[in-house]
Amino acid sequence: MKRIFIIAIALLGLCLNDSVWAGKSSVESLVNEGKWRNASRNLFLEARRISPRLWGLAREQALAGFVADAVETAEAKPVGMRPVILLEVAEKAPDLDDSERLHLLQRALSYARQTEVGRLALTSISMAYLQLGYEEDARRVYEEALTSAAKLPGIHRRMADDLVMKEDVRLQAWMLHPLVASLDKMSDAEEVAHTCAALARLQIRAGLPEAALQTVQTGFTAAQRIARVPARRIANKRLAQVAIELGDMDAARQYGSDEVLAPDYAIHAAALGYHEEALAIIADLNANLYVDYRSETLGTIISGALKRGDVEAARIFIGQLPEGHHRLRAQSWTHLAESELAGGNRSGAEAAYKAAWSQYAHSFHDSVYAWDIDVLIELARSLRRSGFTDSAGTIADALPSFVDRISSRRIADRIKAEAAVATLYAERDQPRQASAAFLSAYQRASGARDGTTGGHDIESQAESLMVVASALAEAARKTP
């Protein structure tokens, strides 16, 4: 009997190996035939087969429209993880109707009620109900979350943080009032301080600045009772950042470190139009090989200025970016060009686009990474949308030479880059070039090119296969 069992296992292993290689042949055929959606599904399933624990797989399957596969992936996870994953599927799948999303939410809620870990997802599930228009259900689930929070330490803080992350949710009194009332019932000073920091941000978003100021003060009072010095500093910093946003500089300076909060002071000054003050602060920020607060702060200021439509402010701060920061400079000029177009200044947009491309087109000798390719693809897409099709084509034609400069040691980067370029080719109605790039990315991911797993281990291979699968699905969606 034991011998028969061992033989059966061996035969099963041979069959599995044969099916894997048959699968590779099938994927290559599907890609060459332009059946990118079918190839995408096969690769997602192969990624799941070789790494059932692969994080983010269900989300990517849902985004690609493979909802049944995504649910199957979620159901195979431990019970405590299923609510969050099913919620992602309900939110990310593009073609579900409201009744289908509701069904997935109900499944997520059922699992959430089964474990303490699962109940951490109740706030997010509540918000998902609200966004579908089921306010009564949303309030009921939110009350369940509050009941759990009364029994488990740290949950009120988690609830407030979850609401902060849900920027597209319209805040209502029934969400905020219970959190405010819970502050007096908390015994842990650290939980009070961090809950206050998140709650104050919610009150700002809800148009309640006076209430937010009071909440910040409550948080500072609690933070001073935190015994561990590092934890107290972290809480004070978080609260001080909110105080700066509210314009309460006295409180920020009383409890926070000017050195640590310098980027926040610079961002606040720039938002108020005090450009020279902001630049003076930025000049003193650390900028070295490992930490570059200067460029990071400039990037935040530029992004904020463009969101406000302040193109001239953005231009001033882009000019302060170091010459070597080609990625951030190119991204910033691209976004500025889009703002110029929105304002009707086509010549200004054209000049900004030229400045973006010049970061790579002239004397660029640095090592290339996948995010460089992402920046260039973003630029090409923006140019095409804006009607500068010749310039977009110039960048698209140059992309292979940049991809070739990615180090052979960075296999995952090369795979991401090739898959991204393939998607751009598909959008440009260049199916032959797209299929060739997809095949190259797939062969690297599967290890067919170099006899490796396509990375350092099976997990890396599964993640790379998922990257290619997602790109194939995106290409299939964007082409007839």
Side-chain angles (χ1 to χ4, degrees), residues 20-265:
V20 170
W21 284 106
K24 286 181 179 178
S25 174
S26 172
V27 167
E28 291 179 355
S29 297
L30 290 170
V31 171
N32 278 323
E33 293 167 15
K35 297 177 180 178
W36 296 333
R37 180 172 172 78
N38 293 343
S40 169
R41 180 170 186 250
N42 284 3
L43 283 186
F44 278 129
L45 294 176
E46 176 64 2
R48 185 174 72 188
R49 187 193 70 77
I50 65 176
S51 179
R53 297 177 300 173
L54 182 61
W55 186 252
L57 176 59
R59 178 185 64 248
E60 293 301 314
Q61 288 174 307
L63 281 167
F66 304 120
V67 178
D69 291 345
V71 171
E72 190 175 87
T73 299
E75 296 283 358
K77 300 290 185 180
V79 175
M81 296 172 63
R82 292 176 199 171
V84 172
I85 300 173
L86 286 169
L87 179 59
E88 276 194 321
V89 174
E91 291 178 334
K92 301 295 184 184
D95 299 321
L96 295 182
D97 60 35
D98 284 356
S99 64
E100 292 169 320
R101 294 187 199 280
L102 181 61
H103 176 68
L104 286 171
L105 286 183
Q106 289 168 338
R107 291 178 76 166
L109 179 58
S110 175
Y111 286 126
R113 288 167 170 161
Q114 294 180 29
T115 67
E116 286 188 1
V117 172
R119 281 193 283 275
L120 295 175
L122 287 172
T123 304
S124 295
I125 293 172
S126 168
M127 296 304 102
Y129 271 111
L130 184 64
Q131 288 177 297
L132 282 178
Y134 295 93
E135 183 170 352
E136 186 176 334
D137 294 286
R139 294 185 70 158
R140 175 174 49 81
V141 176
Y142 194 76
E143 287 169 4
E144 285 187 51
L146 289 166
T147 300
S148 294
K151 299 174 183 176
L152 298 170
I155 305 301
H156 285 108
R157 171 183 173 180
R158 172 68 178 261
M159 290 180 69
D161 283 336
D162 284 349
L163 288 174
V164 169
M165 296 295 291
K166 297 286 183 180
E167 295 182 359
D168 53 345
V169 169
R170 183 170 56 86
L171 296 172
Q172 302 190 38
W174 56 263
M175 302 175 196
L176 301 184
H177 287 171
L179 290 176
V180 174
S182 71
L183 295 174
D184 290 335
K185 301 172 186 175
M186 296 183 198
S187 57
D188 184 88
E190 190 171 354
E191 183 181 1
V192 174
H194 285 283
T195 304
C196 283
L199 182 54
R201 289 201 181 278
L202 295 172
Q203 290 167 325
I204 293 171
R205 204 167 94 200
L208 303 168
E210 294 300 323
L213 282 167
Q214 290 183 338
T215 301
V216 168
Q217 286 301 325
T218 300
F220 276 132
T221 300
Q224 308 328 302
R225 300 199 309 268
I226 299 174
R228 293 180 301 117
V229 173
R232 189 191 316 140
R233 286 176 180 161
I234 291 170
N236 277 330
K237 177 188 175 183
R238 188 177 179 190
L239 288 158
Q241 287 173 322
V242 185
I244 292 170
E245 187 176 340
L246 287 163
D248 189 355
M249 301 303 176
D250 290 340
R253 290 193 171 95
Q254 180 181 353
Y255 296 106
S257 161
D258 283 351
E259 182 180 355
V260 171
L261 294 170
D264 300 280
Y265 286 126

